Structure formats: structure tokens, C-alpha cells
Amino acid sequence: MSFARVRALVVVGVLAVAAVVFVVVALVRDTQGDAVADGGCPDGSVHADVNLPDKAQEVTVKVYNGTDQPGLADNVTNEFKNRQFQTQKPAENDKKVDGVAVMRYGPEAVGSAWLLRAYFLNQAEVQYNPKRKGKVVDIAIGSQFSQLATSTEVNQSLVELGEPQVPAGACAAPDKKDS
């Protein structure tokens, strides 16, 4: 055997031993013993669907009129229908809303609510309820509402908002699109 082959085998052997030592040290010094396994959820947390919907048809909205202006909920509901959202019959809100809007939703509608925030240029107050069931997002229109954002404004607002955030007391549900 030539000297070059012996030298190559020695180098490969040293690299293999170094790799084994590195892996053993990494496993022994691992400090993530309390980490939650992928797809797991800490005790007391609920799974929240934080995936942005691909199409407006995947989002269901119920609009409430939180102002003294008659017919406002009907008008906004029609605007959402024209933008291909699923809508429920509009209603009157129990109390008046001072801001642009108030959005109420639960864990199954986190991604949908994130998208809808962009239609209000992130000026709607959000009220997440971890005990709420269903994918419907309730929107109470307030006295400062003027109109829904255009598609360009929605896209710009979504860029500013970034990826949907997991609400406090929740963890991200497994991605259904990967299944």
C-alpha cells in the first residue's frame, strides 16, 4: 500500500472519530429535556389553526353593526360577499363600538382572523377567546369604520403583519396542508 493511501485512510479515520465524539458530546450536553415534541402541546393549551387561508371562500364572517348607522352591517356583509367570503346573516351588536371594528374569534379561526385584520388595515381590535368553537369570525363594525381595504392595501397590510402569531395559551395545530 502506498504512503498516499495510508495517509488518506488515517485522515478519514480521524474525521470519523471526531464526528463520533462530537455527536456524543452534543447528546450528553443537550439542555432541551423539557422541550415539547413536534406536534405536542403543553398542558392547558389549545390547538390554534394559524394557517392563512388560501382563498377567501375558506373564511366565514358574521358582521355586526356597532354604530347608530342603519344598514351598515348589511353593506359590509355585501362587501365581504363580493370579495368571495362566506357570510352569515348580519346582526346588531349589543353595544356600540368606538373604534374601526372589533373581531371576535376562537382557536379554529386564528388564520382567518389574521387575514381579515388586513381588510381593516390592522386597525380592528382583536378579541381571541380560547374556549370559542367554530371557524366563524365575528366582526362588530365601529363608528370609525369607513371602508374595507382594496386588494393592494390588503396585500401590503399582510406583509406588514407577517405570519400569523399563536395566541397566548395556545399552540400551533399541525399543518393540515402537509398531511
Side-chain angles (χ1 to χ4, degrees), residues 34-48 166-174:
D34 60 345
V36 177
D38 192 16
C41 202
D43 290 339
S45 295
V46 295
H47 286 282
V166 178
C171 61

Side-chain angles (χ1 to χ4, degrees), residues 40-50 106-108 110 128-133 166-174:
C41 202
D43 290 339
S45 295
V46 295
H47 286 282
D49 183 1
V50 295
E108 297 174 48
V110 173
Y128 169 74
N129 181 352
K131 294 179 181 168
R132 184 175 171 149
K133 302 290 182 203
V166 178
C171 61

Side-chain angles (χ1 to χ4, degrees), residues 13 15 19 36-37 39 44 46 49 60 75 85 87 95 110 119 129 143 150 154 167 173 175:
L15 289 174
V36 177
V46 295
D49 183 1
T60 304
N75 293 342
F85 286 91
T87 59
K95 57 183 182 176
V110 173
Y119 281 87
N129 181 352
S143 58
T150 65
V154 168
D175 193 354

